[in-house]
């Protein structure tokens, strides 16, 4: 009887090992690509949730909107630009009292920050409007 056992050449064994290693490498690359895809989707979803939360907190009450108005006042005896700023300035729209005073100076074409009794000034102020009535 003949021996039917298969004998592989050394080249055939190396080729089979290389094929097996290539399959393992491709599976590992595929797994890495899938994990990268999942992480990207998670990042996009997280960013979307964060942006929608940020946008909704920025518009906490969309029915109330503040508008800028202008008013003419007459300077009384003890008025200064600082006292006028304290009375009419809105901290939500101005970062400092100096910013508000500089706007009043610009609007009224004043040469400096000195004002006189009886002088007329145009001053800005903000008021909240309820848009639900429109």
């Amino acid at each position: 009887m003949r021996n039917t056992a298969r004998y592989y050449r050394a080249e055939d064994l190396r080729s089979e090992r290389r094929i097996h290693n290539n399959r393992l490498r491709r599976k590992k690359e595929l797994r890495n690509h899938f994990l990268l895809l999942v992480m990207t989707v998670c990042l996009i979803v997280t960013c979307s949730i964060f942006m929608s939360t940020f946008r909704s907190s920025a518009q906490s009450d969309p029915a109330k909107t503040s508008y800028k108005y202008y008013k003419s006042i007459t300077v009384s005896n003890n008025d200064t630009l600082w006292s006028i700023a304290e009375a009419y300035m809105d901290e939500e729209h101005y970062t400092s009292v100096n910013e508000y005073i500089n706007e009043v100076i610009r609007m009224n074409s004043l040469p400096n920050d000195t004002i006189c009794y009886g002088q007329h000034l145009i001053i800005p102020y903000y008021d909240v409007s309820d848009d639900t009535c429109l």
Side-chain angles (χ1 to χ4, degrees):
M1 263 205 205
R2 278 179 55 175
N3 190 354
T4 59
R6 292 181 110 169
Y7 294 102
Y8 291 105
R9 295 182 304 180
E11 282 181 27
D12 292 340
L13 289 175
R14 279 193 306 258
S15 177
E16 289 293 323
R17 223 177 294 131
R18 190 171 50 242
I19 290 170
H20 178 71
N21 288 339
N22 283 339
R23 281 187 187 145
L24 291 177
R25 183 180 48 81
R26 276 187 256 133
K27 282 183 181 181
K28 186 177 179 182
E29 285 178 359
L30 187 62
R31 187 173 358 119
N32 287 341
H33 287 146
F34 179 74
L35 288 175
L36 184 63
L37 175 70
V38 169
M39 288 173 39
T40 303
V41 168
C42 287
L43 181 65
I44 290 171
V45 168
T46 303
C47 287
S48 298
I49 291 171
F50 174 74
M51 291 303 291
S52 66
T53 302
F54 178 73
R55 188 177 305 137
S56 67
S57 68
Q59 299 174 348
S60 60
D61 192 4
K64 297 208 182 254
T65 306
S66 62
Y67 292 101
K68 189 174 190 177
Y69 297 99
Y70 299 93
K71 182 177 188 176
S72 176
I73 64 166
T74 303
V75 177
S76 63
N77 197 17
N78 294 327
D79 278 345
T80 63
L81 287 177
W82 284 89
S83 65
I84 293 170
E86 287 176 359
Y88 293 99
M89 186 184 92
D90 183 3
E91 286 85 14
E92 186 177 324
H93 297 92
Y94 295 99
T95 57
S96 69
V97 175
N98 286 332
E99 181 184 356
Y100 182 83
I101 290 173
N102 287 335
E103 183 175 354
V104 171
I105 290 172
R106 250 191 339 267
M107 286 175 51
N108 292 284
S109 302
L110 299 175
N112 52 33
D113 60 356
T114 305
I115 57 175
C116 302
Y117 171 76
Q119 184 176 6
H120 293 281
L121 294 177
I122 304 294
I123 58 159
Y125 69 98
Y126 284 86
D127 196 14
V128 176
S129 174
D130 189 5
D131 290 343
T132 57
C133 298
L134 296 178

